[in-house]
């Protein structure tokens, strides 16, 4: 298998982009990535998108986006794994370059979520859960994570303030990210007193509805050395795993097993352990998700993720900075784009280009992207060469 | 909603039909063609227990369109006395009395209607067992 680098990343401002279509959003970020990488020839592309069919009535997206990017007739593939679609697109591009089939591959993610009502978005997102045995009974996505939160609080004593601390920290980080949907800060009380969505989760425990895209250019290390002017960021490890998608089919409500399994694979491939990771972008679709994921990635003991957040261990100046970009909570969560947006942040940090939120000389970063209520997960480990 | 999507699930929703792997003893609801643990394909039919305890619960306050008239409503994960688990609404309960570990029994209820002129979909909800 050949070694693979990220030689360019591109992300536009995320938010409610009323004036822009799904094709414009994607092409803007793809052009930024192409410019950043300094390449003119792309061999193929992968696009992560959860449900453009339900959000904008457009399928056959891979060809449409290749066309509007001016890349027809290169091969283009759409990848779907609910909210982990972007991360999975990166993995597909990695495999194509590592195999030797292509030298330069564009991997991207996109979602245009604001062309439907709140009800419509709730419906579209719920298609990632078990239709007949969860959604049929009135479950929503916040509801599924609320069931995990309630159980985590019951088993480990996780508190309201611990959940809130995740949102406060991610909004602090997002306030330093000009591309984030929200630049506003919040407080423990601000999160706790927001309108209740599904007990114990309030609106401020939830990531928002977002339009956005992100892209990255992957290349073999040999090709990268030939064409890239940027510091090379190598993808050391890739892990992808699945879990039963219905919560009631799982042995535990407080462990996200796809994340455990995906990270095991990525750590093993990279030859790294949790303590070698300087910082991570993780899938905080809800505050409880960040707490559980930081435990399941091995950063903190099971049951201690909430304490770590409340004690500042995951802050920019903490021992394990989590979601320096603002995370899904503050940067926004255009579901299909999120996994690639995480790669963009880790690459910016590793190249020392993260502006006000820049960490001090990070060497190794991790991304964790998750589908639905954890039925799929994709983990990448990246190191600056 | 196309009616076949509703009547196809009648054995599970009306009669709580599940199946069990003879090798591991694990019960699957809904029934499966392959046991994910032992890879057994000869699973035997069983009917679920009708009492159990709440493993976790939430109260849905922002509801999908089919349920907006009912919000707020509680949803829980119930561990039945035979070890199988299901997700369902918790009916006839005050929000203040909900707690993890509470005893419930399964009842046959209307779950949702497909708009004003569409078919009703029935199934199971759990209700508190009061001594």
């Amino acid at each position: 298998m050949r070694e693979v680098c990220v030689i360019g990343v591109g992300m536009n401002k995320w938010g409610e982009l009323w004036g822009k279509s799904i094709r414009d959003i994607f092409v803007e970020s793809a052009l930024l990535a192409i410019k950043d990488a300094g390449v003119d020839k792309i061999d193929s592309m992968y696009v992560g998108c959860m449900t453009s069919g339900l959000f904008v009535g457009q399928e056959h997206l891979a060809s449409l986006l290749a066309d509007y990017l001016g890349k027809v007739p290169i091969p283009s593939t759409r990848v779907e794994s609910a909210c982990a679609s972007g991360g999975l697109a990166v993995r597909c591009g990695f495999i194509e370059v590592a195999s030797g089939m292509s030298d330069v591959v564009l991997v991207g993610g996109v979602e245009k979520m604001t062309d439907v009502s709140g009800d419509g978005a709730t419906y579209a997102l719920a298609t990632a859960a078990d239709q007949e045995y969860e959604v049929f009974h009135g479950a929503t996505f916040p509801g599924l994570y609320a069931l995990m939160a309630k159980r985590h609080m019951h088993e480990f004593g996780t508190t309201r303030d611990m959940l809130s601390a995740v949102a406060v920290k991610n909004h602090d980080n997002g306030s330093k990210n000009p591309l984030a949907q929200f630049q506003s800060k919040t407080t423990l009380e601000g999160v706790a007193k927001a309108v209740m969505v599904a007990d114990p989760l309030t609106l401020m425990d939830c990531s928002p509805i977002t339009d956005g895209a992100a892209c990255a250019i992957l290349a073999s290390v040999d090709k990268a050395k030939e064409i890239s002017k940027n510091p090379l960021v190598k993808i050391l490890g890739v892990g992808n795993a699945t879990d039963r998608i219905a919560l009631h089919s799982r042995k535990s409500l407080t462990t996200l097993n796809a994340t455990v399994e995906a990270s095991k694979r990525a750590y093993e491939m990279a030859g790294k352990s949790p303590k070698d990771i300087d910082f991570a972008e993780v899938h905080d679709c809800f505050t409880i998700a960040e707490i559980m994921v930081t435990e399941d990635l091995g950063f903190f003991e099971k049951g201690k993720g909430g304490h770590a957040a409340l004690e500042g261990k995951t802050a920019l100046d903490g021992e394990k900075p989590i979601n320096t970009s603002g995370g899904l909570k503050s940067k926004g969560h255009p579901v299909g784009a999120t996994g690639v947006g995480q790669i963009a942040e880790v690459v910016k940090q590793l190249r020392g280009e993260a502006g006000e939120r820049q960490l001090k000389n990070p060497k190794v970063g991790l991304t964790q992207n998750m589908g639905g209520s954890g039925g799929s997960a994709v983990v990448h480990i990246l190191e600056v060469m | 909603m196309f009616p076949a999507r509703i009547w196809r699930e009648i054995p599970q929703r009306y009669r709580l039909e599940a199946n069990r792997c003879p090798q591991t003893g694990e019960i699957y609801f809904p029934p499966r063609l392959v046991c994910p643990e032992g890879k057994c394909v000869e699973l035997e039919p069983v009917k679920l227990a009708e009492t159990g305890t709440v493993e976790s619960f939430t109260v849905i306050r922002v509801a999908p369109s089919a349920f907006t008239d009912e919000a707020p409503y509680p949803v829980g994960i119930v561990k039945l006395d035979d070890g199988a688990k299901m997700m369902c609404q918790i009916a006839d309960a005050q929000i203040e009395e909900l707690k993890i570990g509470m005893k419930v029994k399964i009842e046959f209820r209307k779950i949702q209607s497909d708009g004003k002129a569409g078919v009703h979909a029935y199934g199971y909800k759990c209700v508190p067992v009061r001594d």
Side-chain angles (χ1 to χ4, degrees):
Chain A
M1 206 160 58
R2 298 198 297 177
E3 293 186 314
V4 180
C5 283
V6 182
I7 60 169
V9 292
M11 187 181 137
N12 38 12
K13 162 90 173 135
W14 286 4
E16 295 180 339
L17 309 177
W18 304 108
K20 289 180 185 172
S21 67
I22 189 168
R23 60 189 92 179
D24 293 342
I25 294 171
F26 180 83
V27 171
E28 276 181 12
S29 76
L31 290 175
L32 288 171
I34 288 169
K35 187 175 174 206
D36 184 43
V39 288
D40 47 15
K41 185 174 173 295
I42 286 164
D43 299 324
S44 83
M45 57 189 267
Y46 289 89
V47 182
C49 180
M50 175 178 161
T51 181
S52 54
L54 290 176
F55 280 127
V56 294
Q58 180 70 61
E59 304 293 15
H60 209 175
L61 193 67
S63 291
L64 178 82
L65 298 180
D67 180 10
Y68 276 78
L69 187 56
K71 295 296 176 193
V72 164
I74 67 166
S76 179
T77 306
R78 158 138 168 228
V79 175
E80 189 272 316
S81 189
C83 326
S85 301
L88 203 56
V90 177
R91 180 177 184 267
C92 291
F94 175 92
I95 293 168
E96 185 162 326
V97 174
S99 73
M101 193 165 184
S102 292
D103 284 330
V104 181
V105 173
L106 183 146
V107 293
V110 64
E111 210 79 55
K112 169 77 189 166
M113 301 173 72
T114 58
D115 277 358
V116 294
S117 64
D119 263 8
T122 301
Y123 173 79
L125 292 170
T127 60
D130 186 324
Q131 275 299 322
E132 308 299 356
Y133 290 87
E134 294 184 322
V135 181
F136 175 77
H137 294 283
T140 58
F141 253 96
L144 297 178
Y145 277 93
L147 288 163
M148 296 188 237
K150 204 82 169 175
R151 189 72 203 181
H152 202 278
M153 293 167 116
H154 175 78
E155 284 182 28
F156 305 113
T158 298
T159 63
R160 174 65 262 174
D161 275 357
M162 293 176 188
L163 296 173
S164 302
V166 172
V168 170
K169 182 260 300 172
N170 288 349
H171 273 266
D172 279 352
N173 294 351
S175 73
K176 299 179 170 68
N177 183 355
L179 300 180
Q181 180 166 6
F182 302 122
Q183 264 89 31
S184 52
K185 296 189 181 195
T186 186
T187 59
L188 293 181
E189 297 71 37
V191 181
K193 290 191 175 145
V195 61
M196 192 65 86
V197 173
D199 310 30
L201 302 180
T202 73
L203 187 64
M204 287 297 286
D205 286 300
C206 308
S207 57
I209 299 288
T210 311
D211 300 327
C215 289
I217 310 290
L218 309 186
S220 63
V221 168
D222 289 345
K223 188 75 180 176
K225 283 179 177 161
E226 187 189 307
I227 56 180
S228 181
K229 289 174 211 70
N230 292 320
L232 297 184
V233 174
K234 199 155 88 178
I235 300 180
L236 293 181
V238 182
N240 173 215
T242 50
D243 195 3
R244 297 183 181 171
I245 78 170
L247 288 187
H248 65 86
S249 300
R250 297 183 193 165
K251 291 207 162 51
S252 165
L253 285 177
T254 53
T255 295
L256 295 157
N257 210 41
T259 292
V260 172
E261 290 295 328
S263 66
K264 258 191 217 164
R265 286 158 203 233
Y267 286 136
E268 192 185 328
M269 185 173 165
K272 302 280 181 194
S273 70
K275 67 173 175 13
D276 301 322
I277 305 299
D278 295 325
F279 69 106
E281 285 287 302
V282 309
H283 199 95
D284 60 317
C285 47
F286 299 92
T287 50
I288 184 63
E290 179 170 317
I291 288 174
M292 288 169 64
V293 165
T294 54
E295 296 165 354
D296 293 336
L297 290 171
F299 296 158
F300 306 108
E301 201 184 311
K302 186 46 77 183
K304 300 288 185 203
H307 296 268
L310 192 58
E311 288 160 13
K313 290 180 180 170
T314 56
L316 279 185
D317 58 357
E319 62 182 66
K320 192 74 84 180
I322 302 289
N323 285 328
T324 58
S325 68
L328 284 55
K329 177 71 196 83
S330 170
K331 183 172 65 170
H333 184 27
V335 282
T338 284
V340 191
Q342 294 177 327
I343 296 283
E345 174 69 8
V346 167
V347 168
K348 289 275 177 195
Q349 285 284 357
L350 291 174
R351 297 196 326 209
E353 298 169 6
E356 247 193 287
R357 62 187 190 284
Q358 179 63 49
L359 300 170
K360 206 175 157 198
N361 292 322
K363 297 291 178 228
V364 181
L366 178 148
T367 63
Q368 179 268 352
N369 186 201
M370 184 156 66
S373 57
S376 59
V378 188
V379 172
H380 287 96
I381 297 172
L382 299 95
E383 183 173 49
V384 64
M385 287 172 79
Chain B
M1 198 187 288
F2 204 65
R5 233 185 101 180
I6 294 173
W7 60 247
R8 182 185 303 142
E9 302 295 330
I10 281 176
Q12 282 69 54
R13 290 184 184 153
Y14 291 18
R15 301 195 292 271
L16 303 176
E17 290 182 12
N19 65 6
R20 177 169 52 207
C21 174
Q23 290 174 14
T24 64
E26 188 99 13
I27 295 177
Y28 296 105
F29 183 74
R32 294 177 180 235
L33 297 175
V34 183
C35 169
E37 302 292 333
K39 312 304 171 203
C40 173
V41 292
E42 317 238 305
L43 288 89
E44 55 199 27
V46 290
K47 191 191 147 294
L48 293 178
E50 292 185 32
T51 51
T53 52
V54 172
E55 288 237 302
S56 190
F57 67 92
T58 181
V59 180
I60 308 280
R61 294 169 193 273
V62 178
S65 47
F67 293 91
T68 40
D69 290 350
E70 292 181 47
Y73 55 90
V75 167
I77 292 187
V78 176
K79 185 169 191 179
L80 300 168
D81 292 340
D82 54 16
K85 290 195 282 188
M86 59 163 54
M87 176 177 289
C88 60
Q89 286 190 27
I90 307 172
D92 301 350
Q94 299 300 313
I95 285 171
E96 304 73 45
E97 70 176 318
L98 298 170
K99 62 172 195 282
I100 289 176
M102 74 189 282
K103 300 261 182 242
V104 290
K105 60 180 177 180
I106 306 302
E107 289 195 352
F108 181 74
R109 296 290 176 102
K110 190 176 101 176
I111 308 295
Q112 52 171 289
S113 297
D114 187 17
K116 285 192 169 65
V119 285
H120 299 311
Y122 294 87
Y124 47 86
K125 291 185 184 181
C126 67
V127 299
V129 175
R130 295 187 178 88
D131 301 321

